[in-house]
PDB file of all heavy atoms in Angstrom:
ATOM      1  N   VAL H  66     -58.298 -27.569 -36.698  1.00 98.00           N
ATOM      2  CA  VAL H  66     -58.161 -27.239 -38.087  1.00 98.00           C
ATOM      3  C   VAL H  66     -59.486 -27.541 -38.778  1.00 98.00           C
ATOM      4  O   VAL H  66     -60.106 -28.588 -38.551  1.00 98.00           O
ATOM      5  CB  VAL H  66     -57.051 -28.119 -38.772  1.00 98.00           C
ATOM      6  CG1 VAL H  66     -57.090 -27.968 -40.278  1.00 98.00           C
ATOM      7  CG2 VAL H  66     -55.691 -27.681 -38.245  1.00 98.00           C
ATOM      8  N   VAL H  68     -61.163 -27.811 -42.581  1.00 98.00           N
ATOM      9  CA  VAL H  68     -60.833 -27.960 -44.001  1.00 98.00           C
ATOM     10  C   VAL H  68     -62.013 -27.523 -44.834  1.00 98.00           C
ATOM     11  O   VAL H  68     -63.060 -28.202 -44.905  1.00 98.00           O
ATOM     12  CB  VAL H  68     -60.474 -29.449 -44.320  1.00 98.00           C
ATOM     13  CG1 VAL H  68     -60.137 -29.559 -45.813  1.00 98.00           C
ATOM     14  CG2 VAL H  68     -59.314 -29.927 -43.464  1.00 98.00           C
ATOM     15  N   ALA H 196     -55.977 -28.610 -48.324  1.00 98.00           N
ATOM     16  CA  ALA H 196     -55.578 -29.780 -47.512  1.00 98.00           C
ATOM     17  C   ALA H 196     -55.538 -31.018 -48.471  1.00 98.00           C
ATOM     18  O   ALA H 196     -56.592 -31.371 -49.027  1.00 98.00           O
ATOM     19  CB  ALA H 196     -56.577 -30.025 -46.387  1.00 98.00           C
ATOM     20  N   GLU H 198     -53.864 -34.092 -47.768  1.00 98.00           N
ATOM     21  CA  GLU H 198     -53.551 -35.375 -47.127  1.00 98.00           C
ATOM     22  C   GLU H 198     -54.044 -35.390 -45.693  1.00 98.00           C
ATOM     23  O   GLU H 198     -53.863 -34.386 -44.966  1.00 98.00           O
ATOM     24  CB  GLU H 198     -52.047 -35.606 -47.186  1.00 98.00           C
ATOM     25  CG  GLU H 198     -51.551 -36.899 -46.587  1.00 98.00           C
ATOM     26  CD  GLU H 198     -50.049 -36.969 -46.521  1.00 98.00           C
ATOM     27  OE1 GLU H 198     -49.340 -36.146 -47.211  1.00 98.00           O
ATOM     28  OE2 GLU H 198     -49.519 -37.817 -45.807  1.00 98.00           O
ATOM     29  N   VAL H 199     -54.657 -36.478 -45.319  1.00 98.00           N
ATOM     30  CA  VAL H 199     -55.052 -36.688 -43.912  1.00 98.00           C
ATOM     31  C   VAL H 199     -53.866 -37.270 -43.175  1.00 98.00           C
ATOM     32  O   VAL H 199     -53.187 -38.210 -43.656  1.00 98.00           O
ATOM     33  CB  VAL H 199     -56.265 -37.609 -43.758  1.00 98.00           C
ATOM     34  CG1 VAL H 199     -56.678 -37.780 -42.295  1.00 98.00           C
ATOM     35  CG2 VAL H 199     -57.447 -37.086 -44.556  1.00 98.00           C
ATOM     36  N   LEU H 200     -53.571 -36.775 -41.996  1.00 98.00           N
ATOM     37  CA  LEU H 200     -52.487 -37.306 -41.157  1.00 98.00           C
ATOM     38  C   LEU H 200     -53.095 -38.110 -40.003  1.00 98.00           C
ATOM     39  O   LEU H 200     -54.059 -37.681 -39.398  1.00 98.00           O
ATOM     40  CB  LEU H 200     -51.629 -36.142 -40.579  1.00 98.00           C
ATOM     41  CG  LEU H 200     -51.047 -35.195 -41.609  1.00 98.00           C
ATOM     42  CD1 LEU H 200     -50.345 -34.061 -40.891  1.00 98.00           C
ATOM     43  CD2 LEU H 200     -50.106 -35.907 -42.558  1.00 98.00           C
ATOM     44  N   PHE H 201     -52.519 -39.252 -39.750  1.00 98.00           N
ATOM     45  CA  PHE H 201     -52.993 -40.174 -38.692  1.00 98.00           C
ATOM     46  C   PHE H 201     -51.905 -40.375 -37.637  1.00 98.00           C
ATOM     47  O   PHE H 201     -50.712 -40.381 -37.978  1.00 98.00           O
ATOM     48  CB  PHE H 201     -53.388 -41.516 -39.269  1.00 98.00           C
ATOM     49  CG  PHE H 201     -54.516 -41.436 -40.277  1.00 98.00           C
ATOM     50  CD1 PHE H 201     -54.186 -41.310 -41.659  1.00 98.00           C
ATOM     51  CD2 PHE H 201     -55.828 -41.467 -39.918  1.00 98.00           C
ATOM     52  CE1 PHE H 201     -55.211 -41.246 -42.602  1.00 98.00           C
ATOM     53  CE2 PHE H 201     -56.849 -41.395 -40.881  1.00 98.00           C
ATOM     54  CZ  PHE H 201     -56.516 -41.288 -42.214  1.00 98.00           C
ATOM     55  N   ASP H 202     -52.331 -40.582 -36.404  1.00 98.00           N
ATOM     56  CA  ASP H 202     -51.344 -40.896 -35.374  1.00 98.00           C
ATOM     57  C   ASP H 202     -51.152 -42.393 -35.300  1.00 98.00           C
ATOM     58  O   ASP H 202     -51.748 -43.152 -36.087  1.00 98.00           O
ATOM     59  CB  ASP H 202     -51.725 -40.287 -34.008  1.00 98.00           C
ATOM     60  CG  ASP H 202     -53.008 -40.906 -33.450  1.00 98.00           C
ATOM     61  OD1 ASP H 202     -53.432 -41.988 -33.880  1.00 98.00           O
ATOM     62  OD2 ASP H 202     -53.606 -40.251 -32.542  1.00 98.00           O
ATOM     63  N   ALA H 206     -55.897 -42.501 -35.238  1.00 98.00           N
ATOM     64  CA  ALA H 206     -56.787 -41.335 -35.122  1.00 98.00           C
ATOM     65  C   ALA H 206     -56.285 -40.227 -36.059  1.00 98.00           C
ATOM     66  O   ALA H 206     -55.051 -40.150 -36.322  1.00 98.00           O
ATOM     67  CB  ALA H 206     -56.839 -40.841 -33.705  1.00 98.00           C
ATOM     68  N   VAL H 207     -57.151 -39.423 -36.514  1.00 98.00           N
ATOM     69  CA  VAL H 207     -56.790 -38.241 -37.298  1.00 98.00           C
ATOM     70  C   VAL H 207     -56.043 -37.264 -36.447  1.00 98.00           C
ATOM     71  O   VAL H 207     -56.479 -36.909 -35.335  1.00 98.00           O
ATOM     72  CB  VAL H 207     -58.019 -37.555 -37.923  1.00 98.00           C
ATOM     73  CG1 VAL H 207     -57.620 -36.271 -38.643  1.00 98.00           C
ATOM     74  CG2 VAL H 207     -58.740 -38.487 -38.863  1.00 98.00           C
ATOM     75  N   LYS H 208     -54.861 -36.835 -36.866  1.00 98.00           N
ATOM     76  CA  LYS H 208     -54.107 -35.845 -36.058  1.00 98.00           C
ATOM     77  C   LYS H 208     -53.936 -34.520 -36.802  1.00 98.00           C
ATOM     78  O   LYS H 208     -53.205 -33.650 -36.328  1.00 98.00           O
ATOM     79  CB  LYS H 208     -52.743 -36.457 -35.669  1.00 98.00           C
ATOM     80  CG  LYS H 208     -51.735 -36.565 -36.780  1.00 98.00           C
ATOM     81  CD  LYS H 208     -50.353 -36.954 -36.222  1.00 98.00           C
ATOM     82  CE  LYS H 208     -49.284 -36.967 -37.301  1.00 98.00           C
ATOM     83  NZ  LYS H 208     -47.947 -37.275 -36.739  1.00 98.00           N
ATOM     84  N   GLY H 209     -54.568 -34.394 -37.990  1.00 98.00           N
ATOM     85  CA  GLY H 209     -54.436 -33.168 -38.719  1.00 98.00           C
ATOM     86  C   GLY H 209     -54.394 -33.410 -40.213  1.00 98.00           C
ATOM     87  O   GLY H 209     -54.816 -34.515 -40.697  1.00 98.00           O
ATOM     88  N   VAL H 210     -53.909 -32.441 -40.942  1.00 98.00           N
ATOM     89  CA  VAL H 210     -53.825 -32.527 -42.372  1.00 98.00           C
ATOM     90  C   VAL H 210     -52.490 -31.945 -42.856  1.00 98.00           C
ATOM     91  O   VAL H 210     -51.827 -31.217 -42.103  1.00 98.00           O
ATOM     92  CB  VAL H 210     -54.988 -31.811 -43.095  1.00 98.00           C
ATOM     93  CG1 VAL H 210     -56.312 -32.490 -42.793  1.00 98.00           C
ATOM     94  CG2 VAL H 210     -55.022 -30.335 -42.695  1.00 98.00           C
ATOM     95  N   ALA H 211     -52.145 -32.267 -44.079  1.00 98.00           N
ATOM     96  CA  ALA H 211     -51.010 -31.609 -44.719  1.00 98.00           C
ATOM     97  C   ALA H 211     -51.511 -30.819 -45.937  1.00 98.00           C
ATOM     98  O   ALA H 211     -52.410 -31.298 -46.642  1.00 98.00           O
ATOM     99  CB  ALA H 211     -49.970 -32.647 -45.197  1.00 98.00           C
ATOM    100  N   GLU H 232     -47.501 -29.528 -42.482  1.00 98.00           N
ATOM    101  CA  GLU H 232     -48.390 -30.341 -41.679  1.00 98.00           C
ATOM    102  C   GLU H 232     -49.034 -29.464 -40.566  1.00 98.00           C
ATOM    103  O   GLU H 232     -48.304 -28.736 -39.906  1.00 98.00           O
ATOM    104  CB  GLU H 232     -47.630 -31.507 -41.038  1.00 98.00           C
ATOM    105  CG  GLU H 232     -47.111 -32.488 -42.063  1.00 98.00           C
ATOM    106  CD  GLU H 232     -46.614 -33.772 -41.421  1.00 98.00           C
ATOM    107  OE1 GLU H 232     -46.715 -33.910 -40.158  1.00 98.00           O
ATOM    108  OE2 GLU H 232     -46.123 -34.653 -42.148  1.00 98.00           O
ATOM    109  N   LEU H 233     -50.328 -29.544 -40.431  1.00 98.00           N
ATOM    110  CA  LEU H 233     -51.000 -28.881 -39.327  1.00 98.00           C
ATOM    111  C   LEU H 233     -51.551 -29.953 -38.418  1.00 98.00           C
ATOM    112  O   LEU H 233     -52.440 -30.718 -38.867  1.00 98.00           O
ATOM    113  CB  LEU H 233     -52.135 -28.021 -39.850  1.00 98.00           C
ATOM    114  CG  LEU H 233     -51.683 -26.659 -40.416  1.00 98.00           C
ATOM    115  CD1 LEU H 233     -51.320 -26.785 -41.911  1.00 98.00           C
ATOM    116  CD2 LEU H 233     -52.778 -25.602 -40.227  1.00 98.00           C
ATOM    117  N   HIS H 234     -51.012 -30.018 -37.232  1.00 98.00           N
ATOM    118  CA  HIS H 234     -51.452 -31.021 -36.239  1.00 98.00           C
ATOM    119  C   HIS H 234     -52.469 -30.384 -35.326  1.00 98.00           C
ATOM    120  O   HIS H 234     -52.239 -29.261 -34.807  1.00 98.00           O
ATOM    121  CB  HIS H 234     -50.249 -31.535 -35.451  1.00 98.00           C
ATOM    122  CG  HIS H 234     -49.203 -32.199 -36.260  1.00 98.00           C
ATOM    123  ND1 HIS H 234     -47.948 -32.516 -35.821  1.00 98.00           N
ATOM    124  CD2 HIS H 234     -49.228 -32.624 -37.574  1.00 98.00           C
ATOM    125  CE1 HIS H 234     -47.242 -33.115 -36.741  1.00 98.00           C
ATOM    126  NE2 HIS H 234     -48.014 -33.146 -37.851  1.00 98.00           N
ATOM    127  N   ALA H 235     -53.603 -31.023 -35.111  1.00 98.00           N
ATOM    128  CA  ALA H 235     -54.647 -30.424 -34.315  1.00 98.00           C
ATOM    129  C   ALA H 235     -55.213 -31.466 -33.364  1.00 98.00           C
ATOM    130  O   ALA H 235     -55.158 -32.652 -33.608  1.00 98.00           O
ATOM    131  CB  ALA H 235     -55.758 -29.892 -35.244  1.00 98.00           C
ATOM    132  N   LYS H 236     -55.778 -30.979 -32.285  1.00 98.00           N
ATOM    133  CA  LYS H 236     -56.478 -31.865 -31.380  1.00 98.00           C
ATOM    134  C   LYS H 236     -57.691 -32.477 -32.097  1.00 98.00           C
ATOM    135  O   LYS H 236     -58.001 -33.657 -31.959  1.00 98.00           O
ATOM    136  CB  LYS H 236     -56.923 -31.130 -30.099  1.00 98.00           C
ATOM    137  CG  LYS H 236     -55.756 -30.656 -29.278  1.00 98.00           C
ATOM    138  CD  LYS H 236     -56.173 -29.803 -28.096  1.00 98.00           C
ATOM    139  CE  LYS H 236     -54.978 -29.323 -27.287  1.00 98.00           C
ATOM    140  NZ  LYS H 236     -55.396 -28.390 -26.160  1.00 98.00           N
ATOM    141  N   TYR H 237     -58.361 -31.584 -32.878  1.00 98.00           N
ATOM    142  CA  TYR H 237     -59.505 -32.057 -33.674  1.00 98.00           C
ATOM    143  C   TYR H 237     -59.513 -31.362 -35.051  1.00 98.00           C
ATOM    144  O   TYR H 237     -59.151 -30.208 -35.158  1.00 98.00           O
ATOM    145  CB  TYR H 237     -60.847 -31.859 -32.956  1.00 98.00           C
ATOM    146  CG  TYR H 237     -60.972 -32.770 -31.810  1.00 98.00           C
ATOM    147  CD1 TYR H 237     -60.710 -32.365 -30.488  1.00 98.00           C
ATOM    148  CD2 TYR H 237     -61.319 -34.111 -32.019  1.00 98.00           C
ATOM    149  CE1 TYR H 237     -60.725 -33.284 -29.441  1.00 98.00           C
ATOM    150  CE2 TYR H 237     -61.356 -35.036 -30.976  1.00 98.00           C
ATOM    151  CZ  TYR H 237     -61.054 -34.584 -29.689  1.00 98.00           C
ATOM    152  OH  TYR H 237     -61.121 -35.522 -28.662  1.00 98.00           O
ATOM    153  N   THR H 238     -59.873 -32.132 -36.030  1.00 98.00           N
ATOM    154  CA  THR H 238     -59.967 -31.627 -37.425  1.00 98.00           C
ATOM    155  C   THR H 238     -61.413 -31.787 -37.924  1.00 98.00           C
ATOM    156  O   THR H 238     -62.006 -32.854 -37.736  1.00 98.00           O
ATOM    157  CB  THR H 238     -59.017 -32.423 -38.328  1.00 98.00           C
ATOM    158  OG1 THR H 238     -57.686 -32.379 -37.799  1.00 98.00           O
ATOM    159  CG2 THR H 238     -59.028 -31.845 -39.755  1.00 98.00           C
ATOM    160  N   PHE H 240     -63.771 -31.598 -41.219  1.00 99.00           N
ATOM    161  CA  PHE H 240     -63.748 -31.706 -42.666  1.00 99.00           C
ATOM    162  C   PHE H 240     -65.058 -31.188 -43.228  1.00 99.00           C
ATOM    163  O   PHE H 240     -66.133 -31.702 -42.955  1.00 99.00           O
ATOM    164  CB  PHE H 240     -63.521 -33.149 -43.159  1.00 99.00           C
ATOM    165  CG  PHE H 240     -62.125 -33.633 -42.785  1.00 99.00           C
ATOM    166  CD1 PHE H 240     -61.891 -34.257 -41.527  1.00 99.00           C
ATOM    167  CD2 PHE H 240     -61.054 -33.469 -43.647  1.00 99.00           C
ATOM    168  CE1 PHE H 240     -60.631 -34.629 -41.203  1.00 99.00           C
ATOM    169  CE2 PHE H 240     -59.794 -33.892 -43.324  1.00 99.00           C
ATOM    170  CZ  PHE H 240     -59.537 -34.495 -42.071  1.00 99.00           C
ATOM    171  N   LEU H 248     -60.908 -35.760 -49.225  1.00 98.00           N
ATOM    172  CA  LEU H 248     -60.457 -36.294 -47.993  1.00 98.00           C
ATOM    173  C   LEU H 248     -61.632 -36.901 -47.222  1.00 98.00           C
ATOM    174  O   LEU H 248     -61.496 -37.935 -46.548  1.00 98.00           O
ATOM    175  CB  LEU H 248     -59.839 -35.198 -47.128  1.00 98.00           C
ATOM    176  CG  LEU H 248     -58.556 -34.561 -47.781  1.00 98.00           C
ATOM    177  CD1 LEU H 248     -57.978 -33.522 -46.819  1.00 98.00           C
ATOM    178  CD2 LEU H 248     -57.501 -35.608 -48.094  1.00 98.00           C
ATOM    179  N   LEU H 252     -61.983 -40.674 -45.664  1.00 98.00           N
ATOM    180  CA  LEU H 252     -62.299 -40.969 -44.255  1.00 98.00           C
ATOM    181  C   LEU H 252     -63.517 -41.840 -44.133  1.00 98.00           C
ATOM    182  O   LEU H 252     -63.563 -42.720 -43.244  1.00 98.00           O
ATOM    183  CB  LEU H 252     -62.487 -39.622 -43.512  1.00 98.00           C
ATOM    184  CG  LEU H 252     -61.210 -38.794 -43.316  1.00 98.00           C
ATOM    185  CD1 LEU H 252     -61.535 -37.420 -42.878  1.00 98.00           C
ATOM    186  CD2 LEU H 252     -60.266 -39.479 -42.351  1.00 98.00           C
ATOM    187  N   GLY H 376     -60.547 -38.220 -33.601  1.00 98.00           N
ATOM    188  CA  GLY H 376     -59.820 -37.019 -33.938  1.00 98.00           C
ATOM    189  C   GLY H 376     -60.443 -36.099 -34.925  1.00 98.00           C
ATOM    190  O   GLY H 376     -59.858 -35.066 -35.292  1.00 98.00           O
ATOM    191  N   ALA H 377     -61.702 -36.398 -35.394  1.00 98.00           N
ATOM    192  CA  ALA H 377     -62.204 -35.611 -36.443  1.00 98.00           C
ATOM    193  C   ALA H 377     -63.758 -35.701 -36.543  1.00 98.00           C
ATOM    194  O   ALA H 377     -64.367 -36.568 -35.950  1.00 98.00           O
ATOM    195  CB  ALA H 377     -61.628 -36.014 -37.801  1.00 98.00           C
TER     196      ALA H 377
END
Side-chain angles (χ1 to χ4, degrees):
V66 170
V68 180
E198 179 186 346
V199 181
L200 303 176
F201 300 93
D202 65 18
V207 175
K208 71 172 185 178
V210 294
E232 296 191 3
L233 282 87
H234 299 168
K236 294 175 182 177
Y237 288 99
T238 305
F240 293 87
L248 299 182
L252 291 167

